Amino acid sequence: MKKLNRREFVKLAGLAGGYALWPPKLGVAGRDALWPQKLGVVGDIIEGITGFNPTKPSGALEPIPGVKFGMVIDLDRCIGCRRCSYACSRENNVPDIISPPYITLFETESVTGISGIYHPTETPGAGTTMMYTKLRKDKWYMPVQCNHCDDAPCVQVCPTGATYKAPDGIVMINYDKCIGCRYCMVACPYQARRFNWFHTGFTPKCRIRIEIH
Amino acid sequence: MKDAGNSALASMKKAHIAFYLILAILLVLITWGGYSWVRIMFIDGVGITGSSDLVPWGIYIVGFVFFVGTSAGASLVGLMIHGFGRKDYEPLGTRAILVGFLSLLAAVLFLMSDVGNPFRAVLLPAVLRNPTSMLVYTSITYVGFAALMLAELFFAVKITLKGGKGSHWDEKMAQVLAVGALLFALMVVHAPHGALFAFLKAREMWNTPLLPAHFVAVALASGIAVIIHITIVTSKITKKEIVSKETLSHMGGLLAFFLGITLFMDFFDYLVMSYSGKPGGLEIWHFLTTDFYFFFLINTIGMFSAMVILLFKRGRNITGLFIASNVTILAILSYRWNLIVVAQIPPLFPGTGNLYYTPTVPEVAVVVGIVALISFLYLVLTTVLPMEETVQEN
Ligand code: SF4
Ligand code: SF4
Ligand code: SF4
């Protein structure tokens, strides 16, 4: 076996050390393991001193220049199938079992009065619930999720700046900064924040852009 | 004579055994709480607490707000001694600083139990990131307040060691620190805690400019109530009068005063809430008087009856003070519960049904553990540290 020279050794040792300190990279769906990111404060300390966080995920979090996002939901076309809700829970790493789910679907008697959260136990798309038209013809459905507010209360109160307003209009979350204080949850007027109660201890949220990237 | 000596020795031994027994029990509770904390943080997740997506904050925040308040209120003793020159409060000086410091510790521990990532949260005061968040400022103030109290403690102990009369410089420092600590506690630490909640415009019960002022009044009341409670219990156990009956009675008067202010604000707060007919306010009023009427009654009737007991000179005897201080502590705990929990109960969307929050066993265990921990530290520290001269033996 080839002997390592000093330079190579230092390089390798540096890599190994860096890997040990580096919290697992942020996946699109956030992180699952419980221990590493709770102890992954190394990046925070370095950022506190230097203003630069080497553990910060790069690339995916950068806004697209010249783009301003907006979101429209056409309530006339919503059939209350809740597939958006399930897909979103998977994507954002919040359990399906929570009630109400990340995208909350309200069922209304008419176009004006909300009669309650529509949250049947069966999974959309499974067996008979696979649907392409409204199951209950006389009802209306209104999915409510994060509105990416212009003057977002959750951004205002978040102590770490984990939740922030990106230049392209999206209210983003950086999981590497979130301490899980849930201040954003009590501040949101739409109750559009959910907490990852059983895994990461973060407060995931809709980040449209990352999903588009 | 010899017999008397022997029996005194025997009772001292008994007292020692009881003391160690209490410490042992507290240690068991601390272990239980610690184990539950590890379970919540690392094994099962925060999901095993009673908090949920629609009621994100629970008893940890209740405890947090209560202890921050108590910590601020306890500084009043320092102001009495050094600001108003009430030398009769002196035997309580070190104890009050300890109560303040340990309450702050409890508050921080409650916060550390509430957040999902406590190891990252401890960096909050140092790695300041979002200047528009009140939580950043409050977390910085803990460091400042803790430092102030430690400095206060240092000079109090130094003066005690010199037989109650320190050098001119020591006395001056003690004075500046005591007055500074109270102002800091109320204006910099505790009033912003009111703002922490008052800023949240989505929550009807919190979003009132009255809240910071209300927090200050409640803080003073809870601080004095805890000090009165501790003074009476310690006097009973050690069979020594720590402060004279007059001093205790004076404290009772102060407590009545702050309870009066609190009740005054409460009355108008609830009146505006129910009278103005705003849907959010009405909903809160509905929950306060139906599902949570028990806490609402303890809060209002408790504070009122404690105030009435203390308003009369005859009520400010040891029994009256003991009852009033305990009732006040219970009433304030109920108030904090209502403030934190009931505020989150009305759903922000109509028709979403009743939300609920019930603390779970591991959650309660952590609360018990934290309270046991500060009680343990209090008992040990008051034994180890030199305390000021007590008034005299009974
Ligand atoms: S619930 Fe409505 S918005 Fe969501 S996927 Fe179904 S049709 Fe689309
Ligand atoms: S989480 Fe709530 S407050 Fe924040 S941007 Fe979305 S809707 Fe607005
Ligand atoms: S839970 Fe995370 S995102 Fe929400 S306010 Fe706290 S640190 Fe910010």
Side-chain angles (χ1 to χ4, degrees):
Chain A
M1 204 177 116
K2 189 180 152 261
K3 260 191 139 181
L4 293 175
N5 63 28
R6 208 174 76 98
R7 214 194 168 105
E8 280 169 337
F9 176 77
V10 170
K11 223 167 157 185
L12 253 181
L15 267 178
Y19 186 73
L21 292 176
W22 202 284
K25 201 106 180 96
L26 177 102
V28 170
R31 302 207 209 103
D32 249 321
L34 211 56
W35 270 100
Q37 74 277 27
K38 288 203 187 214
L39 295 171
V41 294
V42 182
D44 294 288
I45 298 172
I46 297 172
E47 187 176 5
I49 300 164
T50 63
F52 162 74
N53 188 343
T55 64
K56 206 164 159 180
S58 55
L61 284 176
E62 301 307 323
I64 307 168
V67 173
K68 180 99 179 166
F69 284 102
M71 188 177 55
V72 182
I73 297 173
D74 183 352
L75 293 185
D76 276 344
R77 299 181 69 169
C78 176
I79 54 171
C81 67
R82 293 181 302 123
R83 262 171 255 165
C84 56
S85 171
Y86 272 78
C88 178
S89 296
R90 299 263 151 69
E91 187 67 17
N92 286 306
N93 205 21
V94 280
D96 293 342
I97 46 145
I98 55 167
S99 170
Y102 190 81
I103 296 181
T104 309
L105 210 70
F106 287 97
E107 191 176 58
T108 66
E109 297 296 339
S110 64
V111 266
T112 48
I114 291 173
S115 59
I117 292 177
Y118 181 58
H119 187 56
T121 44
E122 73 272 19
T123 314
T128 51
T129 51
M130 178 67 119
M131 58 197 209
Y132 298 100
T133 53
K134 277 187 209 170
L135 269 189
R136 308 186 201 178
K137 301 274 181 260
D138 53 334
K139 306 282 192 215
W140 293 78
Y141 295 96
M142 180 176 74
V144 170
Q145 54 145 320
C146 172
N147 288 281
H148 296 271
C149 308
D150 259 350
D151 185 9
C154 64
V155 171
Q156 201 180 20
V157 301
C158 174
T160 58
T163 300
Y164 64 98
K165 183 91 179 163
D168 57 1
I170 307 284
V171 173
M172 292 287 291
I173 169 113
N174 179 351
Y175 296 130
D176 287 324
K177 285 185 171 181
C178 179
I179 57 169
C181 64
R182 308 198 282 285
Y183 202 10
C184 52
M185 296 177 79
V186 286
C188 173
Y190 298 97
Q191 294 187 319
R193 302 291 301 247
R194 298 289 178 269
F195 192 61
N196 192 320
W197 296 98
F198 292 103
H199 294 288
T200 57
F202 299 147
T203 311
K205 77 177 292 301
C206 166
R207 300 172 301 168
I208 298 180
R209 189 191 336 119
I210 285 204
E211 280 69 36
I212 292 175
H213 260 274
Chain B
M1 190 66 205
K2 204 173 160 228
D3 274 2
N6 271 347
S7 77
L9 204 70
S11 80
M12 256 173 75
K13 261 195 189 140
K14 243 193 219 153
H16 263 112
I17 292 170
F19 182 73
Y20 286 117
L21 201 68
I22 291 174
L23 288 190
I25 294 172
L26 287 177
L27 270 181
V28 173
L29 295 178
I30 294 167
T31 317
W32 186 42
Y35 165 70
S36 301
W37 189 83
V38 170
R39 243 188 92 188
I40 290 171
M41 286 301 159
F42 299 115
I43 303 170
D44 295 324
V46 193
I48 60 167
T49 65
S51 295
S52 58
D53 282 310
L54 297 189
V55 188
W57 281 349
I59 46 172
Y60 293 149
I61 300 294
V62 175
F64 160 68
V65 182
F66 176 81
F67 278 103
V68 169
T70 306
S71 140
S75 316
L76 191 70
V77 173
L79 182 79
M80 281 294 144
I81 303 170
H82 299 287
F84 292 116
R86 300 244 349 183
K87 294 287 166 213
D88 54 330
Y89 271 85
E90 245 165 26
L92 282 178
T94 309
R95 279 196 171 79
I97 302 170
L98 278 178
V99 169
F101 186 77
L102 293 174
S103 297
L104 186 67
L105 177 70
V108 171
L109 288 176
F110 273 118
L111 211 54
M112 289 302 124
S113 311
D114 185 70
V115 299
N117 292 281
F119 293 107
R120 191 175 280 177
V122 287
L123 293 172
L124 208 52
V127 192
L128 182 150
R129 291 205 183 95
N130 183 12
T132 61
S133 175
M134 207 58 198
L135 203 54
V136 171
Y137 295 109
T138 51
S139 60
I140 294 170
T141 61
Y142 304 148
V143 183
F145 191 31
L148 261 179
M149 282 193 288
L150 283 181
E152 242 189 311
L153 189 65
F154 172 77
F155 283 104
V157 169
K158 195 171 169 194
I159 292 172
T160 311
L161 284 178
K162 285 187 180 160
K165 191 90 197 92
S167 65
H168 175 70
W169 163 248
D170 289 346
E171 297 279 348
K172 201 89 223 135
M173 274 310 286
Q175 191 172 6
V176 170
L177 283 170
V179 178
L182 181 85
L183 290 177
F184 191 85
L186 294 181
M187 297 309 148
V188 185
V189 182
H190 205 56
H193 276 87
L196 196 85
F197 295 95
F199 284 166
L200 302 178
K201 50 184 173 275
R203 307 282 172 171
E204 186 67 32
M205 197 171 173
W206 293 339
N207 187 215
T208 151
L210 202 61
L211 213 55
H214 195 284
F215 262 54
V216 169
V218 179
L220 287 165
S222 71
I224 301 173
V226 169
I227 299 271
I228 294 179
H229 173 93
I230 286 181
T231 311
I232 295 178
V233 171
T234 317
S235 299
K236 275 267 166 321
I237 291 174
T238 57
K239 299 202 171 56
K240 270 184 201 159
E241 259 190 18
I242 296 184
V243 287
S244 67
K245 292 204 172 62
E246 287 69 43
T247 313
L248 269 174
S249 161
H250 184 251
M251 278 204 266
L254 283 176
L255 181 53
F257 175 70
F258 292 120
L259 282 176
I261 295 182
T262 309
L263 279 168
F264 174 78
M265 286 199 255
D266 269 350
F267 178 77
F268 282 102
D269 202 14
Y270 291 138
L271 185 69
V272 171
M273 196 181 274
S274 51
Y275 183 90
S276 61
K278 260 166 81 186
L282 281 183
E283 227 168 343
I284 294 276
W285 180 247
H286 165 79
F287 282 112
L288 280 176
T289 47
T290 54
D291 295 21
F292 294 88
Y293 78 94
F294 180 67
F295 294 101
F296 182 66
L297 287 185
I298 297 187
N299 166 16
T300 47
I301 297 183
M303 281 197 193
F304 188 74
S305 49
M307 185 184 73
V308 171
I309 295 176
L310 296 174
L311 274 182
F312 298 101
K313 186 118 185 79
R314 284 208 359 238
R316 296 203 293 269
N317 56 23
I318 300 293
T319 321
L321 280 165
F322 191 64
I323 294 174
S325 63
N326 287 325
V327 169
T328 304
I329 293 171
L330 276 182
I332 291 179
L333 277 172
S334 306
Y335 164 73
R336 297 302 197 194
W337 164 276
N338 277 343
L339 182 80
I340 304 301
V341 175
V342 179
Q344 301 172 76
I345 294 294
L348 298 184
F349 285 95
T352 16
N354 274 0
L355 307 181
Y356 55 87
Y357 166 77
T358 323
T360 57
V361 176
E363 202 177 356
V364 174
V366 172
V367 174
V368 171
I370 292 175
V371 176
L373 178 69
I374 60 161
S375 312
F376 181 88
L377 289 176
Y378 176 81
L379 288 177
V380 172
L381 285 174
T382 44
T383 318
V384 178
L385 286 175
M387 292 288 129
E388 288 92 346
E389 280 291 298
T390 48
V391 168
Q392 78 237 133
E393 292 213 7
N394 253 351

